[in-house]
Amino acid sequence: MLETDDSYFIPSSYSRIIARELRLQERDLPSLLQGTGLAKEILLPGDETRLSGRQQLQVMNNAQRMENSPDFGLRLGRQLHPSAHGALGYLSLSSPDLITSLESLRDFLPTRLPLVTLAIDHEPRWLRCTLTIRLEANSDETRVMADTFALVIQSFTEAVLGRAMVDARVELVHRKPAYYSLYKEYLHSPVRFGCRANCFLIPVKLAREPNASGDPDAYAMAQEMCRKLLEQVPATARSTSDRVRSLLLSKAPGSVTETEVAGAMFVSKRTLARRLAAEGSSYRRVREQLLSELARRHLRESRLSVEAVATLLGYNDTAAFRKAFRRWYGQSPKAFRDNKHV
């Protein structure tokens, strides 16, 4: 859960985008900021004020009230194309392929929008991008944020593919709203309501779809910039999943246990599990995602044998690694390397 009282980390640029979407005049700006304690000057170009999660949510609530537009989340999401996210967007636009772009979005969201976390799971058929809202919010507020981020993921995906994302699937937790017929004007793929989680499902065959505008030098520069920005993000902006992932990355794969991770975070194993569950995750899920990513990168980017990769990732038994890899990607490590498909 985010600290919302004194943790400021959401750039004011997002509130400026909202003001522009509403076509506000200067006299209207105080109404957009009502209840936030912020001066209208934060909405002026060049301002670098950072808002707390609660302040940002209040701005969104004010905007919806002023506009009386139930599809406000979709409207806002349409404006949040990659270039609206600073270095994070630049990193995505220069990424070599789709999966790298999406992983960049996931890893560096805390630098821009720590209201949410993004998990990416490789399934035999889909790349499942699951959104978890970290800020305590009511049903209307979570609906707006879910609508918004469905459009954000769509825009990142389409920027890499260079075409409309028509073969994906969108799953939303909230029930079909009165304005459901409008979704087809914003989202290019079918939408399902009343689902267990807010997910954007992308055909797994597109994971390694190359980015025609990818630039290795620009990507490296943007990645370094994002890393520096991440170091400046207040610790309260980072989710428990982020912290577990960082701890696992700081050790040799397979060398640290869940109990040790909990101890490093000064909590019990049970408390760690409860906090991860509140984010829609678990220790096993974080660990599996990390191991699957490392396995994929080693097989794709190195000439290490399958046996060497298994050992590097902490598997004492190569057969166990092969079984895990097949569970992650639906094929053997050798087939994955030969196909360079996923």
Side-chain angles (χ1 to χ4, degrees):
M1 191 66 62
L2 283 178
E3 298 290 337
T4 59
D5 51 356
D6 58 0
S7 301
Y8 295 81
F9 38 74
I10 302 173
S12 56
S13 58
Y14 291 109
S15 295
R16 285 196 289 278
I17 290 173
I18 291 174
R20 288 199 297 270
E21 172 63 23
L22 299 184
R23 297 183 176 84
L24 300 184
Q25 300 297 313
E26 184 177 21
R27 65 178 180 273
D28 304 316
L29 299 183
S31 295
L32 182 61
L33 299 175
Q34 185 177 353
T36 66
L38 299 169
K40 66 180 182 180
E41 283 72 23
I42 75 152
L43 298 175
L44 299 179
D47 183 271
E48 297 183 0
T49 298
R50 288 181 173 259
L51 283 67
S52 69
R54 181 54 55 189
Q55 286 173 323
Q56 187 65 71
L57 196 57
Q58 183 64 50
V59 169
M60 294 172 69
N61 286 337
N62 291 341
Q64 193 169 14
R65 172 180 49 80
M66 294 170 68
E67 191 74 357
N68 192 25
S69 175
D71 62 331
F72 173 72
L74 296 171
R75 291 177 53 191
L76 175 58
R78 185 169 56 185
Q79 300 303 320
L80 298 182
H81 38 75
S83 60
H85 304 284
L88 172 57
Y90 185 52
L91 178 63
S92 172
L93 292 173
S94 58
S95 296
D97 50 35
L98 179 58
I99 185 60
T100 307
S101 174
L102 292 172
E103 288 174 349
S104 297
L105 175 62
R106 176 200 63 197
D107 293 343
F108 295 108
L109 261 181
T111 67
R112 301 292 295 185
L113 288 169
L115 294 170
V116 299
T117 58
L118 183 66
I120 302 174
D121 292 304
H122 292 254
E123 300 177 351
R125 183 182 176 189
W126 302 104
L127 281 177
R128 180 178 292 270
C129 302
T130 304
L131 179 75
T132 300
I133 297 171
R134 299 177 53 212
L135 185 64
E136 187 174 356
N138 62 40
S139 59
D140 285 338
E141 291 167 341
T142 56
R143 172 181 52 79
V144 170
M145 284 190 279
D147 283 353
T148 297
F149 274 89
L151 267 296
V152 169
I153 297 173
Q154 175 177 271
S155 67
F156 271 71
T157 302
E158 293 183 344
V160 172
L161 297 180
R163 63 172 177 82
M165 184 73 258
V166 297
D167 40 359
R169 193 171 77 203
V170 180
E171 297 181 349
L172 299 172
V173 170
H174 56 266
R175 297 189 179 279
K176 184 184 294 185
Y179 60 93
Y180 76 92
S181 61
L182 297 178
Y183 279 80
K184 61 185 178 182
E185 298 180 14
Y186 297 90
L187 290 162
H188 304 141
S189 297
V191 182
R192 296 181 180 179
F193 301 95
C195 300
R196 296 180 60 183
N198 293 308
C199 300
F200 198 102
L201 287 82
I202 301 167
V204 73
K205 65 183 180 181
L206 299 178
R208 286 298 167 195
E209 190 77 12
N211 182 0
S213 61
D215 183 327
D217 293 335
Y219 175 75
M221 182 176 66
Q223 190 174 47
E224 180 61 25
M225 187 182 303
C226 284
R227 283 176 178 154
K228 290 180 179 178
L229 289 172
L230 187 60
E231 292 173 359
Q232 300 170 14
V233 173
T236 50
R238 299 182 184 177
S239 67
T240 301
S241 299
D242 293 335
R243 295 174 187 276
V244 170
R245 181 181 172 88
S246 295
L247 282 168
L248 292 176
L249 282 170
S250 70
K251 306 288 184 179
S255 68
V256 61
T257 66
E258 183 176 3
T259 300
E260 290 169 336
V261 168
M265 296 176 65
F266 307 102
V267 298
S268 68
K269 182 178 173 180
R270 184 176 180 179
T271 297
L272 175 62
R274 186 173 66 250
R275 291 180 180 176
L276 287 169
E279 297 174 1
S281 189
S282 67
Y283 175 80
R284 180 178 179 180
R285 180 175 184 178
V286 174
R287 182 178 181 276
E288 288 267 302
Q289 286 179 337
L290 181 59
L291 288 176
S292 68
E293 289 174 27
L294 292 174
R296 173 172 52 78
R297 290 180 180 179
H298 283 309
L299 289 170
R300 178 175 179 257
E301 300 170 9
S302 79
R303 296 183 179 180
L304 292 173
S305 67
V306 172
E307 291 74 16
V309 172
T311 300
L312 192 60
L313 296 184
Y315 285 88
N316 296 322
D317 182 359
T318 302
F321 170 67
R322 295 179 192 276
K323 182 178 180 181
F325 196 91
R326 186 174 290 279
R327 184 176 69 252
W328 296 331
Y329 297 108
Q331 59 183 314
S332 70
K334 183 179 184 304
F336 174 89
R337 173 172 270 170
D338 291 343
N339 294 338
K340 297 183 179 179
H341 178 66
V342 179

